[in-house]
């Protein structure tokens, strides 16, 4: 688990470290790390020597980092040009060393010519003290780099992006990659798409940093907590998950949430609602009933997707609350909480995860605003439950103030039904015994990973598959004699299927939509 610190927390720690180190040593250490990553970007397309690098140099230490990195690149044979945005305030020692190493400086007008021809642009315009959109002439230089599709390496953070909220209000840098020093800042997880891959350079700040502002889960954190059945487990000890979702209007919500709970390794899934028949058809292992009262005992309920906001929906939510088990509350159930103070009061202090998107969040906790971490933390404290605020950067906050952020560089998860899947996953983890903060954080991590992998995965084969076209058949090897490839696989077959390949199975006759001895396509 990685920590994330605010700009002020980092500045305070840096002040202590600067007092303990010789003047200029910390900047040289940071600049060397910056130059290492700049060389890697340049070397990806060939040697560093002879390549053209343009530095966008602002006032203060961020510009100084860029200038010292320019010194290192000149020593490796790169041609380096520094565009001085404010020559009178350029870092004096860095500028002197840069000129001494054979670097050249130009004004912003000449920079508009140099930037489009660069092999790499280094953004040293503003650092973690900067606020607001880029001003001229920096904005024009960044626009020139964008138009020419030049790779941009950001120093500490992309200029124009708020360091603590990731918010952008006007022109800002979108970096190919970012090199940051000492600690991750909120911008790196809240605006991951602006930062690109973030490379952390250790400058000795770690022991001086306070408790993190937020945390980011890594795969080992999630894998170590994800429920895996042991030799003594049975279907009850692995956790029985209840799903109360869907309606005649939204039957798909029931199928998606139930399926997610099944695939998240629940020992058993019980479904309650009017879409029971559809759930049984798609997931025959689910024990389905018409209501929560009829469903039987569970260790957690996931409630809300597609239940409606009328009296019937309120009754479903009320029954889930009355069950006295951990809850994941989503979609229509959040709107019902906003309308019924008694239900909100009944959830306070209980093991509950609310999973609103921004508009649902506003119904129960006012507008999100620019500070997503602050908003989620405030709502969790006010409501007395764990809040998972959905978005490109998903934020999980508990009533005690702990925060997890799951960053994403894509929006593949922003599709209809995706939230229903997340609800089922969280319910399964709650039923397995994870506390709400961990259940929400682990589910968000795996949900985001699945969304990133899905576009590259083979298209799912559906019931009623049609014969493969000759053109598609010619691109794949023929099946072994007496066998065929078909998408209607059983559970064991699905588990053994390798990503990116088909599964050669024995001939089965009588499958819906599949002619005997025929190959099948999606």
């Amino acid at each position: 688990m990685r920590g994330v610190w605010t700009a002020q927390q980092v500045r305070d720690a840096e002040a202590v470290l600067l007092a303990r180190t010789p003047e200029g040593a910390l900047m040289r250490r940071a600049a060397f790390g910056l130059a290492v990553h700049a060389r890697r970007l340049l070397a990806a397309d060939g040697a560093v020597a002879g390549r053209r690098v343009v530095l966008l140099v602002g006032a203060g230490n961020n510009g100084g980092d860029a200038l010292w990195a320019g010194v290192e690149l000149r020593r490796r044979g790169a041609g380096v040009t520094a565009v001085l945005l404010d020559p009178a305030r350029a870092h004096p020692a860095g500028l002197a060393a840069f000129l001494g190493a054979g670097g050249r400086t130009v004004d912003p007008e000449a920079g508009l010519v140099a930037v489009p021809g660069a092999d790499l642009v280094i953004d040293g315009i503003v650092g973690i003290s900067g606020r607001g959109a880029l001003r001229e002439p920096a904005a024009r230089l960044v626009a020139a780099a964008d138009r020419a599709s030049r790779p941009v390496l950001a120093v500490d953070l992309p200029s124009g992006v708020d360091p603590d909220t990731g918010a952008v209000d006007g022109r800002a840098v979108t970096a190919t990659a970012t090199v940051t020093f000492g600690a991750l800042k909120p911008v790196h997880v809240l605006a991951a798409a602006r930062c690109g891959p973030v490379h952390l350079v250790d400058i000795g700040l770690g022991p001086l940093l306070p408790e993190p502002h937020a945390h980011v889960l890594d795969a080992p954190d999630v894998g170590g907590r994800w429920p895996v059945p042991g030799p003594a487990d049975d279907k009850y000890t692995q956790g029985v998950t209840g799903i109360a979702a869907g309606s005649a209007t939204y039957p798909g919500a029931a199928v998606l949430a139930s399926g997610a709970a099944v695939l998240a390794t629940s020992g058993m899934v019980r479904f309650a609602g009017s879409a029971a028949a559809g759930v049984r058809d798609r997931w025959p292992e689910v024990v389905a009933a018409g209501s929560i009262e009829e469903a039987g005992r569970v260790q957690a309920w996931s409630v809300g997707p597609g239940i409606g906001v009328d009296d019937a929906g309120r009754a479903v939510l009320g029954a889930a609350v009355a069950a006295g088990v951990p809850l994941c509350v989503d979609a229509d159930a959040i709107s019902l909480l906003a309308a019924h103070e008694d239900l909100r009061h009944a959830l306070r202090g209980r093991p509950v995860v609310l999973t609103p998107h921004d508009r649902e969040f506003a119904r129960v906790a006012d507008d999100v605003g620019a500070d997503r971490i602050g908003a989620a933390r405030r709502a969790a404290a006010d409501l007395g439950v764990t809040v998972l605020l959905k978005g490109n950067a998903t934020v999980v906050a508990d009533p005690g103030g702990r925060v997890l952020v799951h960053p994403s560089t894509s929006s593949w998860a922003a599709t209809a039904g995706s939230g229903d899947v997340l609800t089922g996953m969280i319910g399964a983890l709650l039923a397995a015994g994870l506390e709400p903060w961990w259940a929400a954080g682990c589910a968000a991590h795996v949900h985001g990973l699945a969304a990133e992998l899905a576009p590259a995965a083979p298209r799912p084969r559906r019931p009623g598959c049609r014969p493969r076209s000759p053109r598609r058949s010619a691109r794949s090897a023929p099946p072994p004699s007496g066998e065929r490839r078909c998408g209607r696989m059983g559970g064991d077959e699905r588990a053994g299927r390798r990503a990116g390949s088909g599964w050669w199975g024995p001939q089965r006759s009588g499958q819906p939509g599949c002619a005997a001895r025929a190959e099948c396509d999606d």
Side-chain angles (χ1 to χ4, degrees), residues 1-5 184 189 198 200 212 214-218 221 404 407:
M1 186 160 59
R2 290 170 290 159
V4 175
W5 287 266
L184 293 177
V189 294
V198 178
L200 177 61
H215 295 87
V216 179
L217 295 183
D218 292 314
D221 304 309
L404 291 169

Side-chain angles (χ1 to χ4, degrees), residues 415-427:
T415 58
S418 174
D420 306 335
V421 171
L422 179 62
T423 300
M425 294 170 66
I426 294 173

Side-chain angles (χ1 to χ4, degrees), residues 389-415:
L389 175 56
K390 297 173 185 174
N392 189 259
T394 294
V395 180
V396 179
D398 74 1
R402 294 184 300 172
V403 172
L404 291 169
V405 181
H406 177 69
S408 176
T409 57
S410 73
S411 294
W412 286 110
T415 58

Side-chain angles (χ1 to χ4, degrees), residues 295-323:
R297 294 181 61 182
V298 301
Q299 274 73 59
W301 277 105
S302 285
V303 58
I307 64 172
V309 294
D310 54 10
D311 290 344
R314 190 206 183 285
V316 171
L317 177 57
V321 172

Side-chain angles (χ1 to χ4, degrees), residues 95-145:
L95 181 57
F98 177 73
L99 293 172
R104 73 184 188 106
T105 62
V106 298
D107 62 24
E109 287 302 317
L112 290 172
V113 177
V115 165
D119 296 302
L120 178 66
V121 175
I122 295 181
D123 162 29
I125 301 171
V126 296
I128 60 175
S129 297
R131 293 293 186 275
L134 291 176
R135 295 185 290 272
E136 298 297 349
R140 281 189 297 149
L141 290 162
V142 170

